Amino acid sequence: MKKFKSKSLILLSAVTLAAFACGVCSCKAWRTISTSATYVQQNDSAQSKTTTTISTKTVEEYQGIKKK
C-alpha cells in the first residue's frame, strides 16, 4: 500500500510539473480578419446593374515564447 501511494505521488508530481512547464514557456493566439467589399457597376444607357461582392477571411496564428 505504501509503494502505491509513493508511485502515485511521483506520477502526480511529474504531470503537474509538465503542465506547469508547458503553460509557462509558451502560448498560442489566433486572430481572424474578415473583410467584404461590394461594387456596383451601372451602364448609363441601360438600366442594368452588375453587382460584385468580394469577401476574404484570414486566420493568423501566433506562437509566443517566454523570454528569460
Side-chain angles (χ1 to χ4, degrees), residues 15-33:
V15 169
T16 304
L17 183 61
F20 180 75
C22 289
V24 171
C25 296
S26 66
C27 66
K28 271 190 177 181
W30 291 270
R31 179 171 79 163
T32 303
I33 303 168

Side-chain angles (χ1 to χ4, degrees), residues 2-20:
K2 195 173 187 179
K3 276 187 175 182
F4 180 70
K5 284 186 179 183
S6 130
K7 285 183 181 179
S8 339
L9 184 61
I10 292 171
L11 181 60
L12 180 62
S13 298
V15 169
T16 304
L17 183 61
F20 180 75

Side-chain angles (χ1 to χ4, degrees), residues 44-64:
D44 288 337
S45 61
Q47 295 297 327
S48 64
K49 290 182 182 180
T50 303
T51 303
T52 304
T53 302
I54 300 171
S55 299
T56 62
K57 180 179 177 182
T58 304
V59 178
E60 298 175 346
E61 180 180 334
Y62 300 94
Q63 178 70 44

